[in-house]
Amino acid sequence: MELLVVHPAIKAFMCGSLSGTCSTLLFQPLDLVKTRLQTLQTGMQPGSGRVGMVSVLLSVVRTERLLGLWKGVSPSFVRTIPGVGIYFSTYYSLKQHFLQDRRPGAAEAVLLGGGARTVAGVVMLPVTVVKTRFECGRYSYGSVIGALRSVCQTEGPAALFSGLMATLLRDVPFSGIYVMFYSQTKASLPKEISTSPAAPVANFSCGVLAGVLASLITQPADVVKTHVQVNPQLKTTEAIRYIYMEYGLQGFFRGAVPRSLRRTMMAAMAWTVYEQMMARIGLKS
């Protein structure tokens, strides 16, 4: 047991889990608003993205009170705490195995980020499905365990993996693109900044830039994923056709503002906290 505790991959898992916990608690309201925007019925047009986000936010507070903005935080924690831990421990293990502490190039960074996200995404998909259903407001599950049991009994275990293709099409490119931009922008920082007390702020700024670019590129896949998980009878191709027929091309960018804000801030915070914690325990992230 002592060997497991001190294993670098376990340490990376613990650092990643803690960073994911902090970012999830802070930015859960943005994820809920994003899900509500993406699953609005045809007759409830949100207008522009900015007006839509604000109107949904006010509607949730008015009908479900302020704490309603954190609806779905339980499955978010169940997903994020182990999920981010799995992501960072896989990333660390792959990086140590293939690069031996060498700084990754652009293509290597894409493969590292995408590979780590593939592992974490597949393992945590059942909880992701439950989280999406909690947030959309159409299901009345009492707990994460109860939701998992209900889905298995009424729809079959396969429903817990609905949206797998859309999820991977969203998360794998996002992570690959994010790690590429993040590592490259960090590498371009002057050495005096990278080694100064302002390094965490500089790293966070690099993460914000990388997050915005990665979020916008992968937004259409996120909308498709949400529709498939809320309506499990839809296949990925059917969801794409439905979104286009109902909302046009702009439908694939519904919820882009809250998602970009959340994913960007969560990723930037998670990477900044992770790297600072890894440095404190003497490991190179």
Side-chain angles (χ1 to χ4, degrees), residues 37 42 50 61 65 72 86 88 104 142 162 169 210 228 255:
L37 273 173
T42 307
R50 185 178 179 83
V61 173
R65 299 186 179 180
I86 291 170
F88 278 118
S162 60
L169 287 174
V228 172

Side-chain angles (χ1 to χ4, degrees), residues 2-284:
E2 290 182 0
L3 290 175
L4 285 176
V5 171
V6 299
H7 193 281
I10 302 298
K11 291 181 179 180
F13 177 91
M14 295 169 65
C15 292
S17 296
L18 181 58
S19 69
T21 301
C22 299
S23 56
T24 297
L25 184 61
L26 282 174
F27 303 115
Q28 173 64 19
L30 290 172
D31 197 36
L32 181 135
V33 170
K34 180 267 298 183
T35 300
R36 295 288 176 93
L37 273 173
Q38 291 179 351
T39 55
L40 282 173
Q41 299 300 314
T42 307
M44 299 172 60
Q45 296 296 338
S48 67
R50 185 178 179 83
V51 174
M53 186 178 77
V54 174
S55 62
V56 170
L57 182 71
L58 294 176
S59 175
V60 172
V61 173
R62 188 165 50 248
T63 59
E64 304 173 44
R65 299 186 179 180
L66 186 63
L67 288 179
L69 292 172
W70 275 267
K71 191 172 186 178
V73 74
S74 295
S76 287
F77 275 141
V78 173
R79 182 190 70 157
T80 303
I81 293 175
V84 177
I86 291 170
Y87 172 80
F88 278 118
S89 61
T90 304
Y91 175 85
Y92 177 84
S93 299
L94 290 173
K95 188 169 182 285
Q96 292 301 308
H97 180 74
F98 291 106
L99 302 181
Q100 289 84 37
D101 285 331
R102 177 171 59 82
R103 187 187 299 276
E108 292 169 330
V110 171
L111 293 174
L112 284 174
R117 180 55 60 192
T118 298
V119 174
V122 172
V123 172
M124 301 308 300
L125 186 61
V127 183
T128 303
V129 172
V130 170
K131 180 194 77 72
T132 302
R133 293 189 179 193
F134 262 93
E135 293 171 351
C136 75
R138 298 184 190 177
Y139 297 83
S140 54
Y141 299 130
S143 66
V144 176
I145 299 299
L148 291 170
R149 187 184 301 115
S150 174
V151 173
C152 286
Q153 291 174 347
T154 59
E155 303 172 42
L160 292 174
F161 289 89
S162 60
L164 173 61
M165 184 60 66
T167 299
L168 293 179
L169 287 174
R170 176 198 65 172
D171 287 350
V172 173
F174 176 90
S175 185
I177 294 168
Y178 181 92
V179 173
M180 180 190 69
F181 281 122
Y182 180 67
S183 62
Q184 296 304 303
T185 51
K186 269 187 64 182
S188 67
L189 291 175
K191 189 173 182 180
E192 54 268 23
I193 293 179
S194 302
T195 57
S196 72
V201 177
N203 292 346
F204 187 85
S205 300
C206 292
V208 169
L209 175 61
V212 170
L213 295 172
S215 292
L216 292 177
I217 292 171
T218 59
Q219 177 64 22
D222 183 68
V223 177
V224 173
K225 184 272 307 180
T226 299
H227 277 271
V228 172
Q229 291 181 345
V230 172
N231 306 288
Q233 70 275 12
L234 285 178
K235 297 183 184 298
T236 300
T237 53
E238 293 171 342
I240 294 172
R241 189 180 304 111
Y242 169 79
I243 294 166
Y244 180 75
M245 296 299 294
E246 288 289 319
Y247 312 110
L249 288 176
Q250 64 183 14
F252 291 101
F253 290 89
R254 272 187 150 183
V257 174
R259 176 176 179 261
S260 294
L261 285 173
R262 175 185 172 273
R263 288 301 298 266
T264 297
M265 301 304 288
M266 279 191 69
M269 175 176 285
W271 273 89
T272 301
V273 173
Y274 166 75
E275 290 183 333
Q276 291 302 303
M277 290 189 65
M278 291 287 279
R280 286 183 178 275
I281 61 178
L283 290 177
K284 187 175 180 179

